[in-house]
Amino acid sequence: MLSIRLNMNDETEKQKIRSWLCDEFPDGCRFIEGSDNEEQANIIIIEIQTLFDWVRIRRLQKNNNRCMIFPLLTPDWIHTSPLAIELNVQSMFIKPLKKNYFLRNIKKVINKVKTSSFSYSEVYEQLQEEGTFNEEDAPFQEAFLRRLLRGEISSEQEVIQARSFLAGHAIPNVVVFIQGFVSDPEKEKAEGWEAPSIIIDSLRKEFSKCTPHVSFLSYRKHLLLLMRVPVNYTSIKHWKNGEQVLLNVIEQLKNTYGIYLYIGVGSIYREALHLHHSYREARKARRTPPFNRIHLRYFDDITKNEQLKKVFEYIQLHFNQEILVSEAAARANFSPTYFSRQFKKETGRSFVEYVTFVRLQRAIWLIRHTNDTIEQISDEIGFNTPNYFSAIFKKYVGLSPSEYRATREILFI
């Protein structure tokens, strides 16, 4: 005997569901009332009317992991449906309910046919039937992509199901990691624009000229651009149209709005289940001293030379000290001459310039997150004088340290 609780305010809808279940299972279910009995139910249907209702679902899952919970959404709450995937519920209903769809999913629970993850195909079918599906802004796109980038999707079948509500019906094959700052926050406020929207709109507009397959995911301090690079390219840097779009947007936003972007690009992965590797690579590329352009960095450019990697690790630990080329060469078991030549070939920078970039990265963090004076920061990261530090900082960042301190880091959510 199944215990069923209908957590709904709409009595008409409630009675309709009762009637369906009683007709289908006349001897196999009973209905329970009262909020104190929630943990006794085998099946709970919760109508989503506030965001707190999703919190209640999470609490019920913790308190009764054998209970099957079905969110019930009205069309105006569909925008919260990605939370159903995050909570890994077995299925979800959208009003007005269709009897056949409703009973089919309830039967799955009764027969203990439980899926390990959310069924995209069934929900997509529901959305199509109700006319609420929007290809450009599908409610499950963001949740699916976030799970894909976390490496939580292991089934090709789930990828195939999700394809229908992705831009251009295409699964992304590369991730671009974007951070930045606004040089004049007062200008942004006075002119009434917001940097995150400007960045997304600019990238979407420019990439529409060469590919329709772009999606965006916003995190607090970074934005992800996911796209599908044409199959005949192995890297965005070889896809000149795509690379030129990134360079154009970087330059346009800096000149027009004072928005400075710093971008890391991961490798291209033809298998969708491996896309999370591109995310990690793009993040690493963003934080690695640039091979060529300071505003655009590729994971492909990061050296794979194991001997040089030992030198990089040493630099990270001792960048604030004087590090001689001869000392670094010895750690790689190279002669100083061969080391200098090999280092420049693999990193695009001389050894001294590479160390300078590592110091500047630390300086940027200290300027942004501490109240230390420029003199204190200069001394901490190993520069001889504050004036020399300021000159080098402006050469590469484009602003003096004090000007950079007055900027605002872009928060995307």
Side-chain angles (χ1 to χ4, degrees), residues 151-310:
E152 294 177 356
I153 295 179
S154 58
S155 165
E156 287 286 354
Q157 183 61 32
E158 189 171 353
V159 174
I160 292 170
Q161 291 175 351
R163 189 185 302 276
S164 299
F165 52 77
L166 292 174
H169 295 264
I171 303 294
N173 59 18
V174 68
V175 178
V176 178
F177 188 98
I178 302 170
Q179 291 180 302
F181 64 84
V182 177
S183 62
D184 188 351
E186 292 303 317
K187 176 183 178 182
E188 178 184 19
K189 184 177 180 181
E191 296 181 358
W193 48 266
E194 295 182 345
S197 297
I198 294 292
I199 294 168
I200 291 173
D201 290 345
S202 298
L203 288 167
R204 194 188 301 279
K205 178 182 177 182
E206 291 302 314
F207 271 110
S208 68
K209 301 172 184 177
C210 54
T211 176
H213 311 315
V214 295
S215 303
F216 296 91
L217 289 179
S218 297
Y219 294 80
R220 179 170 170 77
K221 292 190 176 183
H222 66 274
L223 172 72
L224 298 184
L225 164 64
L226 300 92
M227 72 175 84
R228 188 162 190 84
V229 174
V231 294
N232 49 324
Y233 297 103
T234 58
S235 171
I236 290 181
K237 68 179 178 180
H238 299 139
W239 180 36
K240 292 306 177 185
N241 288 342
E243 183 183 65
Q244 196 57 52
V245 166
L246 291 175
L247 294 174
N248 289 345
V249 170
I250 288 170
E251 194 65 20
Q252 290 169 8
L253 293 183
K254 182 176 72 172
N255 295 336
T256 305
Y257 298 97
I259 295 174
Y260 287 67
L261 295 185
Y262 297 90
I263 296 176
V265 182
S267 302
I268 292 174
Y269 284 86
R270 300 303 174 189
E271 296 291 331
L273 298 181
H274 297 158
L275 192 66
H276 59 284
H277 295 305
S278 188
Y279 177 27
R280 287 200 293 268
E281 292 169 356
R283 190 186 192 101
K284 184 174 181 179
R286 162 67 187 95
R287 296 173 177 177
T288 300
F291 184 92
N292 186 6
R293 303 178 181 92
I294 189 172
H295 294 279
L296 183 59
R297 311 171 192 182
Y298 293 97
F299 179 79
D300 294 345
D301 288 335
I302 299 176
T303 183
K304 309 301 186 290
N305 187 304
E306 293 298 328
Q307 289 165 292
L308 289 182
K309 285 182 180 179
K310 297 176 184 177

Side-chain angles (χ1 to χ4, degrees), residues 63-81:
N63 295 332
N64 186 356
N65 57 18
R66 291 179 295 178
C67 178
M68 299 294 103
I69 303 171
F70 296 86
L72 173 62
L73 282 74
T74 57
D76 56 328
W77 277 91
I78 286 179
H79 68 281
T80 67
S81 57

Side-chain angles (χ1 to χ4, degrees), residues 20 32 53 71 73 84 99 111 135-136 139 146 173 194 216 264 281 288 326 330 344 356 401:
W20 289 347
I32 61 175
D53 291 325
L73 282 74
K99 182 177 180 180
N111 295 326
E135 184 177 61
E136 294 301 319
R146 288 185 187 277
N173 59 18
E194 295 182 345
F216 296 91
E281 292 169 356
T288 300
S326 58
K344 179 70 178 286
T356 298

Side-chain angles (χ1 to χ4, degrees), residues 53-118:
D53 291 325
W54 290 110
V55 177
R56 290 184 62 193
I57 290 176
R58 180 59 178 154
R59 290 177 179 173
L60 283 169
Q61 288 176 325
K62 289 182 177 179
N63 295 332
N64 186 356
N65 57 18
R66 291 179 295 178
C67 178
M68 299 294 103
I69 303 171
F70 296 86
L72 173 62
L73 282 74
T74 57
D76 56 328
W77 277 91
I78 286 179
H79 68 281
T80 67
S81 57
L83 292 171
I85 302 174
E86 294 291 334
L87 293 172
N88 200 31
V89 299
Q90 277 64 37
S91 189
M92 181 184 76
F93 299 130
I94 298 171
K95 296 174 70 174
L97 284 172
K98 293 289 192 298
K99 182 177 180 180
N100 290 340
Y101 178 84
F102 173 79
L103 291 176
R104 182 171 74 241
N105 280 273
I106 293 295
K107 284 179 182 179
K108 283 184 179 181
V109 177
I110 293 175
N111 295 326
K112 298 183 180 180
V113 181
K114 302 177 184 178
T115 57
S116 60
S117 60
F118 202 92

Side-chain angles (χ1 to χ4, degrees), residues 311 314-315 323-334 339 351:
V311 177
Y314 185 78
I315 293 172
I323 307 176
L324 300 176
V325 173
S326 58
E327 181 183 359
R331 291 189 170 273
N333 293 320
F334 293 154
F339 170 79
F351 176 75

